[in-house]
């Protein structure tokens, strides 16, 4: 397993390109199952999760070609050979559950492994299943798989989510496009990735209104056609690189960045004392002299502070002036970066869903271990400013969601390199 080695203390400067959104692309790719015509996705990120989704779709008989060095994905599911998503793929990536809705909608049946939990929580899929039942699907849980059928096709219905779920909204939205009649999705997720998926489905002929609001209305159609769609910018990668100069000092411009994608996050950076400026080319973040201010953070569904930026924010706050409280309200176990940051000298007390961070003058480099995608990158960010050398192990987590992070950060002046396992 590769590791990443960082010599801390280098201020950062320059510009960094931000890729297409992993969490948009992982919902857009299964949309190919809704039509027998070609779907082309441009601005696709080059990540191991995308390769995992590719292998899942090809295991169903879809064709997925990766063009232009992975930036373009050409998908076609003209001749599906299976409607079964096996455990050995699904367990590697929970987003695999997103083939369930499209398979049901177009083929009337699906057998999809339950994803199981992951490092940050149990992450059940009950809301996905209830949504599909509301559209007339019959579901049976057997041997760790969901056996779903929709004899005579899905029918439009009313789906009222008890709380916001990004994935369940995506599954319901895709299934509803081919259901007979009208579907109303209430308490829908409002993330930019939902809007991006709705935009792509509309290009494919779907009739969707209200994406990005809490209430989405879908008029089912008989079939969808192909389309070409550009994957929206990755707001989580964007936020991650905005925090790099916040921690290490200096000034960085994140190309393509749009403040409207992460408004609540930008507001917290501003409160911490950073300069956050929308430029013609992206978002420029500069750290003025002196220590940052401690700030409180509460994660919430969009447009709230993104849970996927909580770990990165914690890394920044470990050396802020004062005490910061971070409340993680989306996942039950998303502070695993805290003990690793403590190995670097951070003062963090975790109690239930709240982490209290007392700023210290400076972290000290240390060997640390990544446990999930966002925890991995928070440790790299912490290493940028820490005194001495930090070695982040198990970086395969990192490669799931960040393209060439060591290249992008060294391009900004960081002293960072990847060490292949010998
Ligand atoms: C998506 O996961 C993202 N993944 C996550 O990003 C992100 O953290 C999350 O949304 C929240 O924004 C992808 O888009 C591939 P949820 P998802 O359903 O859809 C509970 C990353 O780092 N829940 O909105 O799985 C769930 O356990 C990843 O890129 C149920 O109880 O998240 C969680 O506590 C991590 N039952 C909460 O709801 C369900 O049926 C929100 O989960 C579904 C979810």
């Amino acid at each position: 397993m590769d590791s990443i080695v960082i010599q801390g203390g280098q201020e950062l400067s320059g510009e960094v390109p931000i890729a297409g959104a992993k969490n948009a692309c992982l919902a857009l790719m299964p949309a190919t199952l809704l039509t027998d015509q070609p779907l082309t996705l441009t601005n696709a990120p080059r990540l191991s999760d995308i390769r995992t989704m590719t292998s899942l779709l090809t295991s169903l008989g879809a064709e997925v070609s990766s063009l232009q060095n992975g930036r373009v994905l050409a998908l076609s599911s003209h001749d599906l050979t299976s409607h079964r998503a096996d455990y050995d793929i699904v367990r590697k990536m929970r987003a695999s559950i997103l083939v369930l809705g499209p398979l049901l909608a177009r083929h009337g049946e699906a057998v999809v492994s339950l994803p199981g939990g992951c490092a940050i929580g149990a992450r059940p899929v009950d809301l996905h299943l209830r949504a599909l039942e509301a559209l007339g699907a019959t579901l049976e849980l057997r041997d760790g798989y969901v056996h779903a059928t929709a004899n005579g096709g899905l029918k439009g219905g009313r789906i009222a989510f008890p709380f916001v779920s990004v994935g369940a909204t995506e599954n319901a939205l895709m299934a509803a496009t081919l259901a007979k009649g009208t579907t109303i999705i209430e308490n829908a997720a409002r993330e930019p990735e939902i809007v991006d998926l709705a935009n792509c489905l509309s290009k494919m002929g779907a009739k969707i209104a209200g994406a990005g609001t809490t209430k989405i209305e879908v008029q089912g159609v008989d079939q969808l056609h192909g389309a070409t769609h550009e994957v929206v910018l990755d707001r989580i990668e964007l936020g991650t690189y905005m925090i790099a100069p916040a921690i290490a000092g200096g000034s960085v411009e994140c190309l393509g960045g749009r403040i409207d994608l992460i408004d609540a996050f930008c507001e917290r950076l501003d409160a911490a004392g950073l300069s956050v400026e929308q430029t013609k080319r992206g978002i420029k973040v500069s750290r003025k002299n002196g220590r940052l201010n401690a700030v409180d953070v509460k994660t919430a569904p969009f447009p709230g502070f993104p849970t996927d930026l909580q770990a990165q924010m914690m890394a920044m706050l470990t050396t802020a002036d004062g005490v910061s409280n971070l409340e993680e309200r989306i996942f039950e176990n998303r502070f695993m970066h805290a003990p690793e940051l403590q190995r670097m000298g951070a003062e963090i007390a975790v109690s239930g869903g709240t982490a209290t961070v007392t700023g210290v003058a400076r972290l000290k480099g240390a060997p640390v271990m990544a446990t999930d995608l966002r925890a991995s990158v928070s440790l790299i960010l912490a290493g940028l400013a820490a005194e001495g050398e930090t070695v982040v192990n198990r970086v395969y987590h990192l490669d799931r969601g960040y393209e060439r992070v060591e290249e992008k950060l060294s391009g900004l002046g960081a002293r960072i390199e990847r060490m292949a396992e010998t």
Side-chain angles (χ1 to χ4, degrees), residues 22-24 26-27 49 93-95 98 120-129 163-168 170 189 191 193 235-236 300-302 306-308 329-332 334 372-374:
K22 164 179 85 82
N23 291 348
L26 290 175
D49 269 9
M93 186 184 63
R94 303 180 30 73
L98 295 175
I120 63 178
R123 301 187 71 185
V125 291
D126 53 322
L127 299 189
H128 297 243
L129 307 184
F163 51 85
V164 169
S165 162
V166 172
E170 290 165 340
E191 274 68 5
E193 293 75 33
R235 64 194 167 98
I236 305 303
F302 192 86
T307 174
D308 294 347
R329 296 174 157 188
I330 306 290
F331 290 107
E332 64 264 35
R334 203 170 196 177
D372 67 79
L373 167 56
R374 308 304 175 181

Side-chain angles (χ1 to χ4, degrees), residues 34 97-106 132 154 171-172 174-175:
L34 292 166
I97 193 75
L98 295 175
V99 301
L100 179 58
L103 279 174
L104 257 185
R106 177 145 164 256
L132 296 171
L154 293 173
N171 244 332
M174 286 192 277

Side-chain angles (χ1 to χ4, degrees), residues 24 44 131 146 215:
V146 179
K215 182 172 178 180

Side-chain angles (χ1 to χ4, degrees), residues 3-85:
S3 55
I4 285 188
V5 181
I6 306 127
Q7 305 298 334
Q10 299 296 318
E11 277 212 354
L12 303 182
S13 65
E15 56 190 42
V16 60
I18 302 299
K22 164 179 85 82
N23 291 348
C25 203
L26 290 175
L28 292 163
M29 291 173 76
T32 184
L33 299 170
L34 292 166
T35 175
D36 60 3
Q37 294 183 20
L39 172 64
T40 302
L41 299 176
T42 62
N43 193 36
R46 294 172 292 194
L47 303 167
S48 56
D49 269 9
I50 303 305
R51 292 190 289 275
T52 304
M53 182 59 81
T54 296
S55 59
L56 171 57
L57 292 171
T58 45
S59 77
L60 301 173
E63 289 167 27
V64 184
S65 306
S66 174
L67 312 169
Q68 292 181 32
N69 193 20
R71 278 270 175 264
V72 173
L73 298 172
L75 303 102
S76 165
S77 61
H78 190 274
D79 305 311
L80 285 192
T81 54
S82 162
H83 48 257
R84 177 186 173 91

Side-chain angles (χ1 to χ4, degrees), residues 2 59 67 92 340 394:
D2 290 2
S59 77
L67 312 169
K92 274 188 271 181
E340 298 305 306
R394 297 193 180 183

